[in-house]
Amino acid sequence: MATGGFVLYLLSGFSVAVLSAFFLINKYDTNPHEYLGSSSDSFSRYASSSEKVWPDLEFNWRLVLATVIGFLGSACGTVGGVGGGGIFVPMLTLIVGFDTKSAAALSKCMIMGASASSVWYNLKVSHPTKDVPILDYDLALLFQPMLLLGITVGVALSVVFPYWLITVLIIILFIGTSSRSFYKAIQMWKEETILKKEMAKQKETLVNSHGELLIDSEYDPLVPREEKSELEILRFNLRLKWVAMLFAVWALFLVIQIIKNDLPVCGTWYWVLFFLQFPIALGLFGYEAVKLYREHKKRMSTGNTESICEASIEWTAMHIAFCALCGILGGTVGGLLGSGGGFILGPLLLEIGVIPQVASATATFVMMFSSSLSVVEFYLLKRFPIPYALYLMSVSILAGFWGQYFVRKLVTILKRASIIIFILSGVIFASAITMGVVGIEKSIRMIHNHEFMGFLGFCSSQ
């Protein structure tokens, strides 16, 4: 199975980065307690790095440059289905001047705005090849619980993991997924080239029953055909039952996070609520997995080999377990790196056989729920300034809509859906460069200042 290499890369990259931690801890921190216990200067530096730095919202070159970068990042990020958080956080810290935590919170606001407008646009677009919704609700409900669970676990680990280790993970995973996506884009480009040549030959030789050459005959398998009105397409794509189920999952995780944040860290009820998320996520995932498994068995018994959803894999017990692993791993890494899991889900959907248009729409749809969960939690914790958040969200909303519009038009004109995968690969690679450079610079500065480079205690570092 091709997706085996994808998850193997994630697991190996994660493991290599974690294991290398112990080498550097021993190299740079012979006695970690001297930094945490006796060195008040080191602690003050750590505390100062966590202080809120909120620049005023005023018109200047920084705001203009941030607006341009934010617009382009949101437009490309939503088209690829990865959000663009890897671009937003360095932009907000280096150009605008926010502290890292506030930049991460504002980044989620931008991702939520861009995702919401992108989903609204996609709801008014027909499926490129079938008479089914452009959003694959089965895949959304399958992956959403595991991604939300993984994000909560990843956020908890981000408190424990040292900054340099997170930087290593960013470089390894982002470059790996972008390379894999770029390779798939090249493959699809070649397939599209062959298909276009074959269609051109058929068009030249195709004649009707009267022996006349049909020069206007055309077959566009990857280009949306507007056979219905915009309102009819919207009603067809919007399945309220599925949306209600996804919203219920989102609300359930949100309530748990709100209650947990008001409890003493590492107290009994804190851990009860933390581990309560596991049976909830597994139960919801299991419900959808059993449904897909039964429908697959029923179709196979009747000789119907048609795919149940966009994924071209067989829904066996092994493949379902594999999807669960990918979902929670993607969410964990996404929560750890502050990206929301989009850069894992987008490439993963492509790996299991989902076409680019549906992969982009479905990944963005799921990302809207995960990013909004973070935004609500950050709002309750007062992690970002409201004026800046509203302005940046407005920019992202416009970017998400127009990004989808222009890329869809480009796909229609060139008849190449591989453009979407190229954009996805480019956004992930750009995120690897920007976040990698920022992370390396900060890690070098921490080493120079003899700051603690090891793992922190979860309870003591909250």
Side-chain angles (χ1 to χ4, degrees), residues 72-73 76-77 80 82-87 174 422-432:
L72 295 176
C76 296
V82 295
I87 297 175
F174 278 36
F422 278 115
I423 294 174
L424 180 147
S425 174
V427 172
I428 298 177
F429 183 75
S431 300

Side-chain angles (χ1 to χ4, degrees), residues 80-353:
V82 295
I87 297 175
F88 300 150
V89 174
M91 178 264 291
L92 291 168
T93 54
L94 297 179
I95 297 176
V96 184
F98 281 96
D99 64 280
T100 305
K101 290 185 177 180
S102 299
L106 285 170
S107 171
K108 295 293 185 182
C109 294
M110 297 178 70
I111 293 173
M112 182 185 72
S115 300
S117 64
S118 179
V119 168
W120 174 251
Y121 180 88
N122 286 323
L123 285 173
K124 296 182 289 183
V125 175
S126 298
H127 191 285
T129 60
K130 303 177 183 177
D131 189 25
V132 295
I134 188 70
L135 301 175
D136 195 310
Y137 290 99
D138 279 307
L139 291 178
L141 189 58
L142 183 72
F143 284 107
Q144 187 209 35
M146 305 308 289
L147 279 172
L148 293 179
L149 175 62
I151 287 173
T152 60
V153 173
V155 170
L157 289 177
S158 67
V159 178
V160 179
F161 277 36
Y163 191 85
W164 68 264
L165 177 55
I166 295 177
T167 301
V168 172
L169 284 172
I170 289 174
I171 295 173
I172 293 177
L173 297 176
F174 278 36
I175 291 181
T177 51
S178 66
S179 301
R180 177 61 183 172
S181 298
F182 185 73
Y183 174 73
K184 286 189 69 67
I186 293 176
Q187 281 187 317
M188 188 170 187
W189 181 279
K190 293 178 179 178
E191 293 173 358
E192 289 168 340
T193 301
I194 296 174
L195 182 61
K196 291 181 71 174
K197 290 180 179 179
E198 292 178 352
M199 290 299 104
K201 291 180 180 179
Q202 292 181 14
K203 185 176 179 180
E204 291 175 358
T205 58
L206 191 63
V207 294
N208 62 14
S209 58
H210 301 287
E212 298 171 337
L213 183 65
L214 300 179
I215 59 174
D216 293 326
S217 299
E218 205 171 62
Y219 175 61
D220 301 325
L222 294 177
V223 181
R225 295 184 177 183
E226 300 293 339
E227 299 176 353
K228 304 176 182 178
S229 68
E230 192 173 272
L231 182 59
E232 289 174 334
I233 297 173
L234 176 63
R235 290 176 177 175
F236 182 74
N237 282 328
L238 188 60
R239 304 298 170 91
L240 295 179
K241 176 184 175 181
W242 290 94
V243 174
M245 293 176 66
L246 290 164
F247 180 79
V249 175
W250 175 87
L252 190 58
F253 273 86
L254 176 62
V255 170
I256 292 176
Q257 297 306 313
I258 293 175
I259 298 175
K260 185 165 65 69
N261 286 335
D262 292 333
L263 295 174
V265 178
C266 293
T268 302
W269 285 108
Y270 178 92
W271 289 117
V272 168
L273 286 176
F274 182 84
F275 287 108
L276 181 63
Q277 298 172 107
F278 285 83
I280 291 175
L282 291 172
L284 294 169
F285 175 86
Y287 168 80
E288 181 61 26
V290 170
K291 176 192 171 187
L292 290 174
Y293 178 78
R294 288 177 176 175
E295 289 185 1
H296 174 75
K297 293 284 288 184
K298 182 179 179 179
R299 288 174 181 247
M300 294 299 293
S301 63
T302 59
N304 186 357
T305 59
E306 182 182 352
S307 299
I308 301 172
C309 56
E310 286 296 327
S312 58
I313 64 174
E314 296 182 2
W315 291 108
T316 62
M318 183 66 68
H319 290 165
I320 289 172
F322 173 81
C323 288
L325 176 62
C326 287
I328 194 169
L329 179 62
T332 301
V333 175
L336 183 65
L337 306 183
S339 64
F343 84 98
I344 293 289
L345 183 59
L348 174 61
L349 292 177
L350 294 172
E351 286 287 333
I352 62 178

